[in-house]
């Protein structure tokens, strides 16, 4: 069964550093999403992406965040200058209709 | 505003007993409702969804959910719980305000299910 994959599984970084989280969607999926889950809290929507454009973004998704599909397969989330409060699990989801999630990247900002 | 509520932080049930994990929603119009499960240190796995049609929806691992429009509920159920069902369960509703299929999910806070042997 096709799966969404994410790399790395765990990223530790210093505050102020840039991180790139990667997602490989299920091959025929056209809609892409990033969500995050701070430990013990609810899942929060960050951004949705379709046809090489952002469809919607939340207030969390400020200028420090960006997304792209650099090679037509990977879907990446970049955080330019990480803050302590960016520490969370980041989930990629892809869909044609139902959203299927990757296993997540645990980001720890020190 | 659209929202999902899971009124119970934790549900405890004995193995072999039926289980119910509650979810209520607040959405104008017809909701698209979902249940996902999260095992420890794992991603979110799709269980089932309600779009339209029969109010009783069957999903993965023997789970089912009943859509009740009058009570605005979408409770997750299983006739006989397994210890391996112990996990975090999330109810979600698809945002209705954006066009097309590229709509975000709005999530409940999650319910931790513990099935005791």
């Amino acid at each position: 069964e096709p799966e969404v994959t994410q790399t790395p599984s765990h990223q530790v970084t210093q505050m102020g550093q840039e991180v790139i989280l990667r997602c490989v969607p299920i091959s025929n999926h056209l809609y892409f999403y990033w969500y995050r889950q701070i430990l013990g809290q609810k899942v929060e929507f960050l951004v949705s992406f379709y046809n090489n454009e952002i469809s919607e973004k939340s207030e969390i998704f400020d200028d420090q965040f960006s997304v792209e599909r650099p090679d037509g397969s990977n879907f990446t989330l970049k955080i330019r200058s990480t803050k302590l409060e960016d520490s969370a699990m980041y989930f990629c989801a892809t869909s044609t209709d139902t959203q299927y999630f990757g296993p997540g990247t645990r980001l720890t900002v020190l | 505003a659209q929202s999902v509520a899971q009124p119970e932080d934790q549900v405890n049930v004995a193995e072999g007993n039926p289980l119910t994990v509650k979810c209520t929603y607040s959405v104008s119009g017809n909701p698209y409702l979902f249940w996902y499960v999260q095992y420890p240190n794992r991603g979110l796995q799709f269980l089932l969804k309600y779009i339209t049609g029969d109010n009783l929806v069957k999903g993965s691992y023997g789970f089912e959910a009943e859509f009740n429009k009058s009570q605005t509920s979408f409770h997750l159920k299983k006739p006989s719980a397994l210890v391996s069902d112990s996990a975090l369960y999330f109810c979600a509703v698809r945002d209705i305000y954006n066009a097309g299929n590229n709509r975000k999910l709005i999530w409940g806070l999650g319910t931790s299910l513990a099935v005791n042997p």
Side-chain angles (χ1 to χ4, degrees):
Chain A
E1 185 176 319
E3 291 182 337
V4 178
T5 59
Q6 289 185 242
T7 55
S9 57
H10 192 185
Q11 174 90 49
V12 181
T13 190
Q14 295 291 325
M15 189 170 56
Q17 295 297 303
E18 174 183 286
V19 295
I20 298 176
L21 311 183
R22 292 181 170 81
C23 169
V24 178
I26 295 172
S27 62
N28 64 333
H29 285 189
L30 300 176
Y31 306 101
F32 312 112
Y33 311 80
W34 283 101
Y35 294 84
R36 78 175 185 188
Q37 184 183 31
I38 295 172
L39 186 63
Q41 299 186 25
K42 71 190 302 182
V43 179
E44 301 173 293
F45 167 76
L46 293 178
V47 65
S48 57
F49 190 86
Y50 169 67
N51 200 24
N52 288 317
E53 290 184 345
I54 290 175
S55 305
E56 185 184 2
K57 58 184 180 180
S58 71
E59 61 272 14
I60 302 168
F61 195 88
D62 61 21
D63 291 345
Q64 295 301 313
F65 291 85
S66 63
V67 289
E68 63 176 0
R69 284 193 83 195
D71 55 9
S73 59
N74 291 307
F75 177 52
T76 63
L77 174 69
K78 181 191 289 186
I79 309 175
R80 290 189 183 82
S81 179
T82 50
K83 302 186 287 288
L84 295 175
E85 54 265 37
D86 292 329
S87 295
M89 280 289 287
Y90 287 81
F91 293 107
C92 171
T94 76
S95 74
T96 53
D97 180 27
T98 299
Q99 292 179 32
Y100 290 91
F101 286 75
T105 294
R106 181 173 297 281
L107 176 65
T108 302
V109 182
L110 303 176
Chain B
Q2 304 167 92
S3 65
V4 172
Q6 292 180 245
E8 301 157 316
D9 290 336
Q10 177 140 357
V11 170
N12 294 297
V13 64
E15 187 175 30
N17 283 1
L19 69 87
T20 298
V21 182
K22 295 179 180 177
C23 172
T24 58
Y25 65 89
S26 175
V27 170
S28 301
N30 297 319
Y32 287 17
L33 293 157
F34 301 81
W35 276 101
Y36 286 83
V37 60
Q38 185 178 31
Y39 296 100
N41 301 313
R42 301 282 297 277
L44 295 154
Q45 295 182 34
F46 169 72
L47 275 181
L48 51 78
K49 66 181 177 184
Y50 172 82
I51 304 296
T52 187
D54 289 342
N55 289 341
L56 186 64
V57 179
K58 294 190 183 297
S60 306
Y61 312 124
F63 283 93
E64 57 190 28
E66 186 170 9
F67 172 67
N68 187 318
K69 189 171 184 177
S70 63
Q71 296 185 8
T72 63
S73 67
F74 189 56
H75 300 333
L76 181 70
K77 301 182 180 185
K78 188 173 182 180
S80 178
L82 300 172
V83 172
S84 57
D85 293 329
S86 299
L88 194 55
Y89 290 81
F90 289 94
C91 182
V93 65
R94 184 185 290 174
D95 180 8
I96 66 167
Y97 290 125
N98 288 318
N101 285 330
N102 201 11
R103 304 180 194 180
K104 67 179 181 286
L105 293 175
I106 298 165
W107 298 82
L109 288 173
T111 298
S112 177
L113 173 67
V115 181
N116 307 306

